[in-house]
Amino acid sequence: LRIFDSQGRELAANNDRLAPGETPGPNSGNDGFDSFIPLQFLTSGTYYAGVSNWQHRSYNPVTGDNALMSDPNWLTGAYSL
């Protein structure tokens, strides 16, 4: 999970972190498998959430560059927001 401002600058990122009050699932370790970012927006504006597989964590949010080549296993998936 990555949060960007309107210019595509990354404000926060997380791979595995439990939300407050959440308990880890089986075999997930102390941090869980889901992503959580506690972020308070101090100014109004447009912000974007980027959701992807952890291997795809360095993509450019503006251009889409570094899209892990064309392997569909890394480019698609089911996510819940």
Side-chain angles (χ1 to χ4, degrees):
L1 179 63
R2 298 169 72 195
I3 305 295
F4 303 95
D5 68 10
S6 62
Q7 302 301 307
R9 291 180 294 244
E10 184 177 283
L11 303 176
N14 180 262
N15 180 36
D16 294 329
R17 182 172 182 183
L18 296 174
E22 188 178 15
T23 56
N27 303 315
S28 68
N30 292 332
D31 294 326
F33 284 136
D34 297 327
S35 298
F36 173 75
I37 296 175
L39 185 62
Q40 182 177 9
F41 297 96
L42 301 177
T43 59
S44 62
T46 300
Y47 298 91
Y48 300 95
V51 180
S52 66
N53 183 298
W54 73 269
Q55 288 104 334
H56 192 206
R57 64 188 171 275
S58 61
Y59 60 87
N60 182 310
V62 176
T63 66
D65 288 347
N66 192 17
L68 293 176
M69 299 170 285
S70 61
D71 185 339
N73 292 312
W74 305 123
L75 300 176
T76 62
Y79 300 96
S80 297
L81 297 175

